[in-house]
Amino acid sequence: MSPGQRIALYPGSFDPVTNGHLDIARRATRIFGEVIVGVLRNSGKAPLFSAEERAALFEESVREAGIHSIRVEAFEGLLVDFAARCGASVVVRGLRAISDFEYELQLAVMNRRLRPELETMFLTPGEDVGFISSRLVREIARFGGDVSGLVPPAAARALARRCGDSGPGSTR
Ligand code: PNS
């Protein structure tokens, strides 16, 4: 099967989607026939946005950016089980720096142990967005900083709405 016929799954928390995530998703659509963005519902972390909100923001951002062949779905449970339900044979993850590597390697090896036929592929984001993380974006937004250029417009609007009233010092 050629890459163009394969379905790739791009999973993550996406709390919220950043320009780095969008860059990886766009790169994946250039390689694979279909890309499914899997938004994790049962994260151990307490998310700023619900899974439905995170999925809707990713969907809106993809539409605004004019990226095609992407479907966004929230999922819970094991990634390998969701991949099987989607018919995905590849998991795509973004690798920004060496600091990402240890966790990503662990994840890839564990997923391979659980489902040997599922391959993980790492894509590197463009250097202009390679330093962005959702955690830092949330922190900047909480304290009223400017997140434009770091996240798609839809996410910037949602962050302004969510963090606008809480002000500095909020634990949200
Ligand atoms: O954006 P994140 O938080 O780095 O994404 C992590 C994610 C969603 C890829 C990972 O937590 C995951 O796959 N969770 C689903 C549960 C699972 O399969 N856990 C075992 C992995 S070996």
Side-chain angles (χ1 to χ4, degrees):
M1 196 191 277
S2 74
Q5 295 169 307
R6 287 183 189 276
I7 299 174
L9 173 61
Y10 177 34
S13 303
F14 306 120
D15 186 34
V17 56
T18 69
N19 285 341
H21 296 138
L22 215 53
D23 180 79
I24 295 292
R26 184 185 281 108
R27 288 172 197 280
T29 63
R30 293 183 191 139
I31 303 171
F32 299 103
E34 186 181 354
V35 175
I36 298 170
V37 171
V39 178
L40 181 67
R41 195 188 294 277
N42 57 332
S43 167
K45 315 161 194 170
L48 181 61
F49 295 101
S50 71
E52 282 64 34
E53 288 171 322
R54 285 178 274 138
L57 282 180
F58 211 125
E59 223 157 41
E60 197 178 341
S61 304
V62 158
R63 207 173 337 112
E64 281 182 346
I67 306 172
H68 303 287
S69 326
I70 290 193
R71 188 149 56 86
V72 184
E73 275 187 43
F75 78 100
E76 51 199 337
L78 284 179
L79 175 68
V80 292
D81 293 338
F82 180 60
R85 286 200 297 280
C86 295
S89 53
V90 177
V91 169
V92 167
R93 292 284 288 171
L95 206 53
R96 290 166 300 189
I98 196 76
S99 50
D100 285 340
F101 186 74
E102 201 172 333
Y103 172 62
E104 293 300 333
L105 185 66
Q106 221 177 357
L107 205 64
V109 170
M110 279 300 168
N111 282 332
R112 178 182 287 160
R113 193 188 160 93
L114 292 169
R115 189 169 169 234
E117 62 275 29
L118 186 67
E119 287 297 343
T120 299
M121 262 184 68
F122 297 112
L123 298 179
T124 50
E127 64 276 12
D128 49 336
V129 291
F131 58 91
I132 305 172
S133 79
S134 293
R135 187 180 63 79
L136 289 181
V137 162
R138 288 194 304 272
E139 196 165 305
I140 293 167
R142 266 187 198 124
F143 291 99
D146 181 12
V147 295
S148 58
L150 302 177
V151 296
R157 290 192 294 270
L159 282 164
R161 282 195 300 271
R162 185 65 38 100
C163 301
D165 337 318
S166 51
S170 164
T171 51
R172 286 201 306 180

